[in-house]
Amino acid sequence: MTDTKPFTREDMARAPMKLLRDGRVANAVVTRVEVGGRFWTVKDFSSRPWWVRTFIAPFLLKRELAILDRLRGVEGVSQESFRIDRTAMAVLFMEGANIGREPARVTPLYLESFEKLLRTMHARGVVHLDVRGTGNVMIRPDGSPGLIDFQASLYTGWMPEFLRRLLEDFDMSGALKKWLQFQPDAMGEERRRELERINGLRKFWIFRGYFGLKKH
């Protein structure tokens, strides 16, 4: 997290703003806000019911900011984030597009770099758990991968090894799925077998539909 707040809610109220996602009742309203010539992604629960503002929002915001702090220095993850107030947080906006909109740019080199990004996160004790779809997987202007939206992420440092490895496999299956989707001829048999193995494990995951592990 940043040591100081780049802006307040009052600053945000006067700033140019674009709605990115309204979400459901227990999810934040997500906007892009421009302050001082810089763009930020803001997650804001202030318009949600009192029980969301009181119990859910503080927990989700604190956890996501802690995850981002653990990933400080990881290339491909936004490096600036902060708590605006009890019901809102901001993350420096990541330029680029999700890979579903730029399929021609999803090269074997990109996918190898995406795998490396996931392994680097796992080494920090973080699993994203929402990368099987394309919405959170970015291709940045320089062609490198990026990840956004860590709300479903978990810290694995306290977990037994079998559970940590299982969750890391679920994450990696998101990269392998993208090989199959965008570069099947370059995927190779080893990656295909690994994807089949992990997909077999997912059938027994009792929290299907949660933590980003729903079927896309």
Side-chain angles (χ1 to χ4, degrees):
M1 290 184 288
T2 55
D3 295 329
T4 60
K5 293 184 179 182
F7 60 89
T8 65
R9 184 173 289 277
E10 289 72 25
D11 297 326
M12 188 172 68
R14 297 188 294 267
M17 184 180 301
K18 177 182 179 181
L19 179 66
L20 300 179
R21 186 172 67 249
D22 192 14
R24 297 179 181 177
V25 65
N27 292 322
V29 176
V30 183
T31 56
R32 187 183 71 175
V33 178
E34 182 182 2
V35 180
R38 307 178 81 198
F39 290 98
W40 298 82
T41 299
V42 172
K43 293 186 174 183
D44 188 0
F45 289 88
S46 63
S47 63
R48 298 316 193 195
W50 70 269
W51 53 272
V52 175
R53 300 194 309 270
T54 303
F55 301 110
I56 296 178
F59 169 75
L60 292 178
L61 296 175
K62 181 180 180 180
R63 190 182 68 173
E64 185 165 359
L65 286 167
I67 290 290
L68 290 169
D69 196 44
R70 287 188 178 277
L71 298 177
R72 182 77 65 89
V74 174
E75 184 66 26
V77 177
S78 184
Q79 295 299 294
E80 295 186 49
S81 58
F82 69 99
R83 186 80 167 262
I84 297 172
D85 55 27
R86 182 175 173 80
T87 59
M89 62 173 280
V91 182
L92 192 64
F93 183 79
M94 183 175 289
E95 298 292 343
N98 72 63
I99 59 173
R101 298 181 180 178
E102 300 277 355
R105 299 179 66 201
V106 185
T107 64
L109 179 60
Y110 171 91
L111 291 169
E112 289 171 358
S113 298
F114 182 48
E115 288 179 338
K116 181 179 179 181
L117 171 56
L118 290 177
R119 287 193 293 270
T120 301
M121 287 173 42
H122 295 165
R124 296 283 186 98
V126 172
V127 286
H128 189 284
L129 298 184
D130 199 4
V131 295
R132 285 182 63 88
T134 60
N136 295 326
V137 183
M138 303 291 288
I139 184 161
R140 299 188 293 173
D142 64 359
S144 64
L147 275 175
I148 61 173
D149 195 356
F150 287 80
Q151 180 170 299
S153 301
L154 294 176
Y155 172 60
T156 61
W158 60 272
M159 297 180 182
E161 184 175 355
F162 81 91
L163 180 56
R164 175 177 58 81
R165 290 189 179 277
L166 179 65
L167 294 176
E168 290 175 357
D169 280 348
F170 287 158
D171 252 9
M172 195 56 67
S173 72
L176 297 172
K177 182 180 176 183
K178 285 159 188 56
W179 277 98
L180 188 63
Q181 180 178 357
F182 295 101
Q183 293 290 342
D185 294 336
M187 184 178 186
E189 286 304 313
E190 184 176 350
R191 286 189 175 95
R192 288 181 183 273
R193 288 194 297 268
E194 184 67 358
L195 179 59
E196 290 174 2
R197 180 186 72 82
I198 298 171
N199 282 342
L201 293 173
R202 291 179 71 251
K203 296 176 183 178
F204 302 101
W205 179 249
I206 62 173
F207 297 112
R208 286 179 68 81
Y210 298 89
F211 302 116
L213 299 176
K214 58 183 177 294
K215 183 177 179 181
H216 288 276

